[in-house]
Amino acid sequence: MVARLVVVVKSDIVREDYNYDYDDDGLGEYDDDYTPTDILPTFIATPQEFNVEVGGDITFPCDVQDQGKHVLMFKHILPNGVNRLLFVGEVNVKKFKKLDKVGTSFVLRDVRKHHAGQYACRIETIPITQITHTLNVQYPAAVERVSPQVQHVVQGSSVTLECGADGNPPAAISWSRQQGHLPSGYQSEEGTSITFENVDRHIEGTYICTASNGIGTSSSASMTLEVKYPPEIITEQAILHTGEGNEAKLMCAVRGRPTPSVSWTKDNQPLDSSSRHILQHDTLHRHTLTIAKVVEEDFGEYTCTANNALGHTQRTLMLTGLPKTPTMTSSPSGGEENTYTLAWHTESNTPIIQYRLQYRKFMGNVTGRPQMNWNVRLFSTNPSTRSSNTSPTSTNTQTHPHHPHHPHHNMTHAIGSLDAATDYEAKVAVENKFGWSEDSPVFHFYTRKGHGSDGSYGTPLLIRTAVIVCCYSSDGW
């Protein structure tokens, strides 16, 4: 109920009305009429501002001097301006169990958020005697999602994630990513929101906004981004070398959202699962075409095609019986003056029939100086088919001793009639029954110089060439 306090002074009636919101607990009333003394009470306590964490206790001092018979009142002034009367004299008007009067002070225990505001110690005099304390209740931050928990965005567009936070003192908000660093490369960023421009699938993931204000523990909320994008295909091995009778696996890693459908074709003809062609898909986006036992007709181009609502793409893979491109294994430094043994490695699931050797003197990298023509020679790996004018000084093909059709082949060829202390370059290709491999990368080597007049060895031309390049001018050497 609302109580009205009426103040009467001597024969002249001065009426002041004060409205208070409190329960009628039947705990007695104070007199309507009283006669103040000539000395008015004053508060010794001074107004204070208190910062208290939730759950703490606070004492509001209301020490008064010359109180006499005046009644000490204590009230809570709410943020909306409403006065909530708590104590009148010794009477706990609200029967508020957390509030006690101790002498002329008031103790509030187990403070809650709604206890924040102003508290007044008041004596009804003319003029009014009052001091006002301020209670600032500090409490941990509580984060709240502003953006949806899951967002679906189209590749190339922009998206913003936003969080809000309640806390006292005001909370700071930071962003992190569950899968690691943010797309910016930073571990975290500050702010109530984070925006991504021109998005692609690499920004997908779960983002965490965390609010903290130093009170209690931090508060977090998560949001997930999913990007819709057209299919993408990655091939681990665009060219697969194999042999007849072997099992071959062609693989395409396919990504896209919505999840793409994948199909396989050979020579523009669709392939379905059968006893020889097995189509599989695992949880890592890999789509595999397995050919159980390869026959010659299986060699050729295969295409995997991926489609979804945002587009389609395709990749071509080659299944071939051709040898792999040879790799040189010999040292560039030759041990002989007029010969050099070239060594290389290749892979072929069928026997190597012949190889093509190309070599020439290396004239350096001087601009304007032409290179010499290649010396091109073909050599059979079958000694019975070599002609006397094309036989190499030395040739050797090594295969696995227990598997003559093992794919690894180590080959050598001794090139004769070379000049001493001279730079050369060479490349080779090999052939099996299905055709020629690609030429190997150009390989540089040099021959040894013979003994000089002082018995020392000369300097390899590869080193001298660098000096020549250094010192060449328009005036000649």
Side-chain angles (χ1 to χ4, degrees):
M1 65 175 289
V2 177
R4 173 164 293 181
L5 174 62
V6 180
V7 179
V8 180
V9 181
K10 293 185 180 180
S11 59
D12 297 325
I13 301 176
V14 179
R15 183 180 299 272
E16 293 189 18
D17 294 346
Y18 302 96
N19 293 325
Y20 298 102
D21 177 21
Y22 68 94
D23 296 332
D24 183 5
D25 53 12
L27 295 179
E29 300 180 359
Y30 44 87
D31 296 335
D32 285 342
D33 300 325
Y34 66 92
T35 302
T37 63
D38 292 334
I39 301 176
L40 294 178
T42 57
F43 284 107
I44 302 173
T46 58
Q48 297 184 50
E49 182 172 343
F50 300 98
N51 294 311
V52 180
E53 291 188 22
V54 166
D57 299 340
I58 183 64
T59 297
F60 298 99
C62 295
D63 300 331
V64 63
Q65 180 176 300
D66 299 326
Q67 180 177 349
K69 294 182 179 181
H70 293 86
V71 178
L72 176 61
M73 305 167 64
F74 189 66
K75 64 179 180 180
H76 183 195
I77 304 172
L78 301 178
N80 60 7
V82 173
N83 289 259
R84 188 179 184 191
L85 190 60
L86 302 175
F87 261 87
V88 176
E90 301 298 324
V91 178
N92 188 338
V93 178
K94 283 290 187 180
K95 297 182 179 179
F96 189 21
K97 295 181 179 180
K98 293 185 178 182
L99 182 65
D100 291 319
K101 184 173 184 291
V102 180
T104 55
S105 296
F106 297 88
V107 179
L108 178 60
R109 300 183 306 278
D110 190 21
V111 171
R112 302 286 98 185
K113 288 169 56 176
H114 64 271
H115 292 155
Q118 293 183 320
Y119 289 82
C121 308
R122 182 183 179 101
I123 297 176
E124 300 290 347
T125 60
I126 298 177
I128 295 297
T129 302
Q130 177 173 302
I131 61 170
T132 303
H133 300 298
T134 300
L135 176 60
N136 182 29
V137 180
Q138 297 180 333
Y139 52 92
V143 74
E144 179 182 4
R145 278 188 299 267
V146 177
S147 303
Q149 186 171 3
V150 179
Q151 291 194 68
H152 301 271
V153 294
V154 178
Q155 179 173 282
S157 62
S158 301
V159 62
T160 297
L161 303 178
E162 185 176 0
C163 276
D166 176 36
N168 189 27
I173 295 178
S174 64
W175 292 87
S176 59
R177 192 181 188 185
Q178 196 173 73
Q179 290 78 9
H181 288 81
L182 294 168
S184 63
Y186 294 107
Q187 190 70 37
S188 64
E189 292 183 13
E190 303 291 329
T192 57
S193 65
I194 186 169
T195 299
F196 304 110
E197 306 282 352
N198 192 26
V199 302
D200 58 25
R201 67 177 179 86
H202 299 98
I203 67 106
E204 286 191 325
T206 299
Y207 293 82
I208 311 295
C209 62
T210 302
S212 177
N213 64 355
I215 306 296
T217 58
S218 58
S219 175
S220 298
S222 63
M223 281 163 277
T224 299
L225 279 181
E226 293 184 352
V227 178
K228 296 181 178 180
Y229 59 98
E232 298 175 358
I233 299 178
I234 298 175
T235 57
E236 290 183 356
Q237 197 172 4
I239 301 177
L240 179 61
H241 296 262
T242 188
E244 294 174 296
N246 294 340
E247 179 184 83
K249 289 181 179 290
L250 302 173
M251 193 281 293
C252 284
V254 181
R255 293 180 179 271
R257 182 169 283 113
T259 302
S261 60
V262 177
S263 60
W264 289 86
T265 59
K266 180 181 185 295
D267 301 328
N268 296 321
Q269 297 300 314
L271 294 175
D272 297 318
S273 286
S274 64
S275 58
R276 293 190 61 251
H277 298 95
I278 303 170
L279 306 181
Q280 294 174 308
H281 171 218
D282 64 18
T283 57
L284 297 177
H285 311 285
R286 286 197 294 257
H287 292 259
T288 304
L289 167 61
T290 302
I291 303 173
K293 288 187 177 182
V294 173
V295 296
E296 186 171 353
E297 290 74 18
D298 291 323
F299 295 131
E301 291 186 349
Y302 291 79
T303 302
C304 63
T305 303
N307 291 275
N308 70 7
L310 298 179
H312 73 279
T313 189
Q314 62 185 30
R315 290 290 183 273
T316 298
L317 300 89
M318 175 70 71
L319 183 65
T320 180
L322 295 177
K324 282 190 175 182
T325 302
T327 302
M328 295 297 188
T329 58
S330 50
S331 169
S333 175
E336 303 294 333
E337 297 178 32
N338 305 114
T339 62
Y340 178 84
T341 300
L342 197 67
W344 65 91
H345 171 268
T346 188
E347 293 182 30
S348 174
N349 286 272
T350 55
I352 301 296
I353 300 172
Q354 61 178 341
Y355 58 94
R356 179 175 61 240
L357 170 63
Q358 302 180 67
Y359 68 97
R360 65 185 179 187
K361 289 183 179 179
F362 178 58
M363 306 304 294
N365 292 317
V366 179
T367 303
R369 170 175 288 189
Q371 296 289 344
M372 300 182 67
N373 292 329
W374 290 102
N375 294 303
V376 182
R377 299 288 186 269
L378 290 178
F379 299 101
S380 171
T381 58
N382 185 351
S384 63
T385 62
R386 295 178 189 158
S387 60
S388 58
N389 61 346
T390 60
S391 297
T393 304
S394 173
T395 181
N396 178 34
T397 300
Q398 299 176 0
T399 60
H400 195 283
H402 302 295
H403 301 281
H405 299 298
H406 192 273
H408 296 280
H409 300 263
N410 295 309
M411 306 179 69
T412 60
H413 181 99
I415 307 173
S417 302
L418 301 177
D419 293 338
T422 303
D423 298 330
Y424 287 89
E425 56 184 357
K427 55 185 178 179
V428 295
V430 296
E431 183 189 25
N432 65 14
K433 74 173 187 177
F434 297 110
W436 284 96
S437 70
E438 297 289 334
D439 284 334
S440 69
V442 174
F443 176 74
H444 293 267
F445 66 93
Y446 57 88
T447 55
R448 182 175 64 82
K449 184 178 181 180
H451 291 285
S453 58
D454 58 355
S456 63
Y457 287 103
T459 304
L461 262 177
L462 282 177
I463 299 175
R464 296 206 308 276
T465 301
V467 177
I468 293 171
V469 173
C470 159
C471 302
Y472 178 82
S473 69
S474 58
D475 297 330
W477 298 96

